[in-house]
Amino acid sequence: MTMMKATVFVAPGRIELVDKPIPEVGPNDALIRITTTTICGTDVHILKGEYPVVPGLTIGHEPVGVIEKLGSAVQGYVEGQRVIAGAICPSFTSYASQDGAPSQDGSYLIPSGQCGHHGYKATAGWRFGNLIDGTQAEYVLVPDAQANLAPIPDGLTDEQVLMCPDIMSTGFKGAENANIKLGDTVAVFAQGPIGLCATAGARLLGATTIIAVDGNDHRLGISKVMGADVTLNFRNCDVVGEIMDLTGGRGVDSAIEALGTQGTFESALRVLKPGGTLSSLGVYSTDLKIPLSAFAAGLGDHRINTALCPGGKERMRRLMNVVASNRVDLGVLVTHRYKLDDIVAAYELFANQRDGVLKVAIAP
C-alpha cells in the first residue's frame, strides 16, 4: 500500500478527504499509523481562512497511534508500539529550544531560507497541519521522533490520552503561566475544551476559588466537574461586576483567557488585581486594544503571559501521568465520534458548535 486518505485544506471554507502518498521515513523520523485524532478550534480558524496554510496541506495536529516504521537513527522505540506526539514537535537542538522556548523553534526552516534568526520563529514549533502534513489522515510522519514520541502507558485508552497532544497541554500551560499559588482566586474566561483544561490545571496547582465564565450552561456544568467553584453565564449577568463583588473589590489573583476575543481579553484584565497575572491562550484574529483604566495606565504591576502549548516527549509523559493517576478525567470531553471518511461532516458539527459538541474523536 502506497496511498492513504488525508484531510486537506483546499480554500477558505473548504476541506476535502483525498488520497495522498504515504510519507517516506527519513533517519530521524517515525511513521505513525493514526488510531485516533481530533479536530481543534485552530483547525476551524484554518478552515475559515483566518489562519493561513498552503492549499493541499493535510491538517490536524493531535496524533494517537502506533509506530508503523522507525527511522534508522531513532532509538528507544519499537515498531508496533502505541504512542502519542505533541502538537508541538521541536527538534530540541536549536537555540530557541535551549533558550527555553521550544514551541518557537523554527531551526528546521533554516536550510530553506525561511528562518534567518538562528531558529527563532514564532509558532514554528507547531509543525503538524501548519508547516508540514498533519494528523487527520491514516498516517502521519513525526519529525525528530526520538524527542517527540511518548509511549502510552498500559491500560490507557486512545480517548483518555487524546487531549494530551494539545488541549490538555495548552490548558495546563495557561494555568502554569498564570503564576497560581496555593489559596489563589482564579477566573477562567471561556469553557471550551482548552478553558476546561485550564480550569482543571488551576485546581491541580492549588487555586481554592476558581470562577468559570462562559455563555453555555452545559459547558459551565462540566466546568464544575473540572474544578470550578463558581460559574457565571455572561448572558445572564455582568461578569466583571460579579467577580469584583465576589472578591470584595480586590480582583482575582490570576485570570486565564481561553477564547481569543477582545471581549474576553478585556474582561480578564478588568477583573485582575494590581500585581496579578493575565494568562492568554486565545488565538486572536484581530488587533487587541488594552483599556487604559484596566491597565492602570501601565503602572499596575500586571503581567500578561502568552503561550503556544508545550510539546516533546517529557511534557507528554507528565500529562499522561496525570491521566493515569486519575487526577483528572478528560475523556468526558469527547462528546462525538466519527470515522475519517465522515470528517467533513464532523467539521460541520464542530465548527458550528451543534449538539453540545466539545471534542470529536476521529478514527480511520
Side-chain angles (χ1 to χ4, degrees):
M1 187 173 66
T2 60
M3 302 295 287
M4 67 175 184
K5 295 175 183 177
T7 309
V8 301
F9 171 78
V10 178
R14 183 179 168 198
I15 61 164
E16 290 183 359
L17 190 66
V18 304
D19 290 328
K20 272 191 169 184
I22 295 175
E24 295 185 3
V25 180
N28 296 311
D29 304 330
L31 183 67
I32 305 303
R33 175 173 56 83
I34 296 293
T35 53
T36 310
T37 187
T38 185
I39 301 171
C40 179
T42 309
D43 298 324
V44 175
H45 284 290
I46 291 172
L47 172 65
K48 293 179 177 179
E50 296 169 347
Y51 186 93
V53 300
V54 297
L57 185 76
T58 303
I59 51 181
H61 50 264
E62 294 156 283
V64 182
V66 174
I67 298 174
E68 185 79 7
K69 187 175 181 181
L70 284 169
S72 59
V74 181
Q75 301 179 3
Y77 302 88
V78 295
E79 292 174 358
Q81 189 173 20
R82 294 178 66 225
V83 291
I84 64 173
I88 308 303
C89 45
S91 68
F92 288 100
T93 59
S94 70
Y95 286 97
S97 292
Q98 293 189 25
D99 192 27
S103 297
Q104 317 304 328
D105 170 21
S107 60
Y108 59 95
L109 298 170
I110 292 174
S112 64
Q114 297 180 64
C115 186
H117 306 286
H118 301 289
Y120 288 88
K121 186 172 178 61
T123 77
W126 168 30
R127 299 200 223 183
F128 295 135
N130 180 26
L131 297 168
I132 65 173
D133 279 338
T135 65
Q136 291 169 13
E138 292 181 293
Y139 295 89
V140 68
L141 192 71
V142 178
D144 295 297
Q146 193 163 324
N148 289 298
L149 287 181
I152 300 172
D154 292 341
L156 293 184
T157 67
D158 279 17
E159 290 189 8
Q160 283 179 290
V161 301
L162 182 57
M163 304 304 139
C164 295
D166 180 6
I167 300 302
M168 183 182 184
S169 188
T170 301
F172 277 32
K173 182 61 174 175
E176 290 161 329
N177 267 5
N179 297 320
I180 295 169
K181 300 185 291 294
L182 289 171
D184 272 355
T185 297
V186 178
V188 185
F189 287 83
Q191 292 295 290
I194 287 177
L196 289 167
C197 288
T199 297
R203 181 184 184 185
L204 288 172
L205 288 172
T208 50
T209 303
I210 301 172
I211 304 165
V213 180
D214 201 275
N216 183 306
D217 285 333
H218 174 65
R219 292 186 174 193
L220 289 171
I222 297 174
S223 74
K224 285 278 194 177
V225 178
M226 293 293 122
D229 301 286
V230 178
T231 59
L232 298 175
N233 188 321
F234 66 79
R235 302 182 192 280
N236 303 329
C237 69
D238 171 12
V239 167
V240 172
E242 289 283 341
I243 292 175
M244 296 308 290
D245 286 345
L246 284 167
T247 59
R250 176 175 179 268
V252 297
D253 299 289
S254 304
I256 302 172
E257 194 288 317
L259 183 60
T261 68
Q262 175 67 36
T264 48
F265 179 88
E266 186 171 324
S267 294
L269 189 58
R270 289 190 182 281
V271 301
L272 192 62
K273 74 175 186 182
T277 300
L278 193 164
S279 176
S280 172
L281 294 175
V283 179
Y284 300 95
S285 301
T286 60
D287 289 343
L288 284 173
K289 296 179 181 179
I290 296 180
L292 184 66
S293 60
F295 197 49
L299 303 174
D301 279 327
H302 297 115
R303 289 177 293 278
I304 299 176
N305 290 332
T306 66
L308 177 61
C309 79
K313 63 185 180 184
E314 173 62 6
R315 176 70 170 185
M316 296 300 106
R317 182 191 70 82
R318 287 175 177 272
L319 295 178
M320 287 190 288
N321 277 355
V322 174
V323 174
S325 65
N326 295 314
R327 294 297 194 276
V328 65
D329 177 14
L330 299 179
V332 298
L333 301 186
V334 178
T335 56
H336 295 73
R337 295 161 183 83
Y338 279 78
K339 301 298 287 184
L340 182 62
D341 285 339
D342 300 317
I343 196 165
V344 174
Y347 262 93
E348 196 277 331
L349 170 82
F350 187 76
N352 291 289
Q353 291 295 291
R354 292 191 291 100
D355 194 26
V357 64
L358 285 172
K359 291 291 283 185
V360 180
I362 306 291

